[in-house]
Amino acid sequence: MTMMTPSPLEQQQEDEEMLVPHQELSTADAAQPMEVVAQTEPTNTAESQAPEDPQTSRFTWTIENFTRVSGKKHYSDVFVVGGFKWRVLIFPKGNNVDHLSMYLDVADSGNLPYGWSRYAQFSLAIVNQIHQKYTARKDTQHQFNARESDWGFTSFMPLSELYDPSRGYLVNDTVVVEAEVAVRKMIDYWTYDSKKETGYVGLKNQGATCYMNSLLQTLYHIPYFRKAVYHMPTTENDMPSGSIPLALQSLFYKLQYSDNSVATKELTKSFGWDTYDSFMQHDVQELNRVLCEKLEDKMKGTVVEGTIEQLFEGHHINYIECINVDYKSNRKESFYDLQLDVKGCRDVYASFDKYVEVERLEGDNKYQAEQHGLQDARKGVLFLDFPPVLQLQLKRFEYDYMRDTMVKINDRYEFPLQLDLDKDDGKYLTPDADRSIRNLYTLHSVLVHSGGVHGGHYYAFIRPTLSDQWYKFDDERVTKEDTKKALEEQYGGEEELPQVNPGFNNTPFKFTKYSNAYMLVYIRESDKEKIMCNVDEKDIAEHLRIRLKKEQEEKEHKKKEKAEAHLYTIIKVARDEDLKEQIGKNIYFDLVDHEKVRNFRIQKQLPFNSFKEEVAKEYGIPVQSQRFWLWAKRQNHTYRPNRPLAPHEEAQSVGQLREVSNKAHNAELKLFLEVELGLDLRPIRPPEKSKEDILLFFKLYNPEKEELRFVGRLFVKALGKPSDILTKLNEMAGFSPNEEIELYEEIKFEPNVMCEHIDKKLSFRSSQLEDGDIISFQKPSIPGGDTQVRYKDVPSFLEYVHNRQVVHFRCLEKPKEEEFCLELSKLHTYDDVVERVARQLGLDDPSKVRLTSHNCYSQQPKPQPIRYRGVEHLLDMLVHYNQTSDILYYEVLDIPLPELQCLKTLKVAFHHATKDEHQAFEE
């Protein structure tokens, strides 16, 4: 996605609720937890500030003998604010930095109930004991909870400044710390029911999607837009994850009729976002434009064609007017939203004044007018018309050239409840604009960003019916709010909290508001009735109602199952048929993948014999013909059928048997069903098993076909020898009775394959074979035979399977498109891999192939390619941290890679002799 102007939020790579800056940026002004822990779940800001003033207190901590403080951490005494216990935590020598580290800490966090949280605005200061005005003070705000019970500044001030006696912070080995804390009241997040309290439900946060949630809630609460989305043609064969219209219809339907918060995963999948993209901070304005463009395209040729333009599209005229000659140039442009300056503007009207401000083109900046040459001119913008729904993007983020970084503008910026764009005789409009349309707007929603430029949280204040009642949509939670909270408290700027002891001439506690509006949505008064229309079930396609009703029923069913889960257990039953179906296809090692066998959900109180009747109904195997074996996990991490169930065990309940067999509270019960067939292929009673009988499983390997398959199982005598059963094995394999065969025991496959040759003259017991063991056999390989095979025996074949890797290759210029795939070995060398790729591409010189590894988290190529012979094996190319990818990117070079790597980068700079211009090129 591209934009005409760079988006400040494209830089954001962190989870939005953590105000922790990138390491390469300055941390001086960013509040952060004492220890930064990566969050895998979104943290919901739980503050819902009461309209009354917060409870505020100032605490002074005098630390004597400061340089003698022992230990890495040092806590203050406990003080109470808002009925809560607090303390200050400092690291006198820094928390792994060369700065003093200082935090506000919840003193009794270890004793608080599960799910506790509290919200506070606070400042921390090191008092300058020589010059009060140089006191070092920083302020922030935070939602404290069990995971983040302390918050503050890791780099509060340089240790060199603190310990310098001339600076005034350390005087007579004494340091004075001040903390001012304002605690606001909260709603109990854990018991709060949004639908019950407000009639509306929220949207679940996928990790960093609160910016999207605030926008979706805003669009949903424009009823005309919602009705148009419902009327977009979709069918019952569409899948929400592949159709933006259907995903949006589904989302809006659930917001309208669900009792609980709604997930957005289907919608983000329809955008083409994978999991990683959902955890990326995207730009709201960009998302709004892309979403509207896609919907606009999908609406073409339907009954709702043109809806997006009708709602959101306005037009302005870019003009250039010569001063001294009669020449004027006009260009009409459309807009769906307007970007207004915040910096240097006190309110929305000042931003519009700046938007239409006339620029003079004169001197070296004269305008080249057709047939008139260079002329003095006036350049500006005026509006031809405004849309019914006016979206204003406030430019809260800008690039600071002095600091070479993005910064957030937290200046105070006011916006009215009623916006009159016809003021001052329509000074924002062109002379030929339609003056019969009254451009008086009422505020519908305020989208808010709370935090800094490199992280933060988003939520929205919305008037769904344009009444006096505002609602705050904060991810999953919706709360009622007053007008002051929705407007004045989102202006930004500084907030001055009440003084603790006014009579003592204390400095007021001023707190910079990091929560402020960044997007406003106004609705034109004359279009209000049309836009704020009724939307009911008849506006929703029947197939959509049926689909979503079915989804709701399935959800309720799963919810019921979950509530009753403690009454049931899962029994997984593997049979000979499963082994035949899976071995050589889905698996090669072991006997079966238990995730792909038949599951039975059985009540724990049910007698096991009753379960056998269920099996009889399922498979048509009489109860008396069933014998079940328990699987056991061995020390080498393989699973094998261990022993058959005893009669007294089958008399127990399913729950009792599960507990005995697994010795774990919630483990599943895994069983192997042994069934013997008579001459007529009907199930018969299994033979009695003595202590001398061993149950072995057999696989057959064909070197020519490179095929391994399950051929059956046998009971053998412990003191018997493999030579005793060769005739039977030949029969199972379809060989002649006297065929010579070699036997191997499959022992384990992780981390390395262990498959050992079996001496046919030794007894099974001497070979340490026991119940559940696996023997693979084959015809012996013939050295120098006519048929050439790649893997002559079972061990070499299993070694190949263990290291086999299908790699999907993509052209680096088209990183989303798969070009071809190759079956390789993880042990292949760098040269082996590029040679195979060159052969696939028809290249004579493999050294012209350059490979780049895949980043499993970003789903993109890594920034640096693989150097020539820079890795030993294919596995090294595929491993990314603790994950293994199956994707590699390739590019074909004009010269061999070793030669390219020897070239040096040369930067050439040009300076224009007459103009103060610079240009630079790299070769």
Side-chain angles (χ1 to χ4, degrees), residues 50 52-56 121 182-185 495 497-498:
E52 64 267 18
D53 288 333
Q55 300 183 58
T56 308
Q121 297 172 322
V183 178
R184 294 187 181 269
K185 292 186 177 180
E495 179 180 1
L497 297 178

Side-chain angles (χ1 to χ4, degrees), residues 737-782:
N738 298 320
E739 184 71 55
E740 186 69 24
I741 55 177
E742 297 293 330
L743 281 65
Y744 300 88
E745 181 192 1
E746 179 188 315
I747 300 173
K748 68 172 185 176
F749 59 94
E750 289 293 352
N752 299 307
V753 173
M754 185 179 289
C755 184
E756 296 182 350
H757 187 269
I758 296 175
D759 189 336
K760 290 176 282 189
K761 297 177 183 178
L762 295 177
S763 68
F764 291 105
R765 178 170 292 170
S766 299
S767 296
Q768 298 182 339
L769 291 166
E770 56 187 42
D771 283 323
D773 278 340
I774 303 169
I775 294 178
S776 294
F777 65 98
Q778 66 176 91
K779 292 180 182 180
S781 58
I782 304 172

Side-chain angles (χ1 to χ4, degrees), residues 317 330 383-384 429-435:
I317 300 293
N330 291 330
F383 291 92
L384 188 61
L429 297 167
T430 61
D432 53 346
D434 186 355
R435 302 295 172 125

Side-chain angles (χ1 to χ4, degrees), residues 63 67 75 108 115 132 185 196 211 246 265 426 439 483 523 631 646 658 670 680 702 719 737 743 778 823 903:
I63 310 173
T67 58
Y75 288 96
D108 55 347
Q132 184 80 18
K185 292 186 177 180
K196 181 180 177 182
Y211 72 97
L246 183 58
K265 287 185 178 179
N439 290 304
T483 303
I523 291 179
W631 292 78
R658 190 202 65 175
K670 297 183 177 72
D680 57 358
N702 184 331
L719 297 177
L743 281 65
Q778 66 176 91
E823 184 181 292
L903 298 178

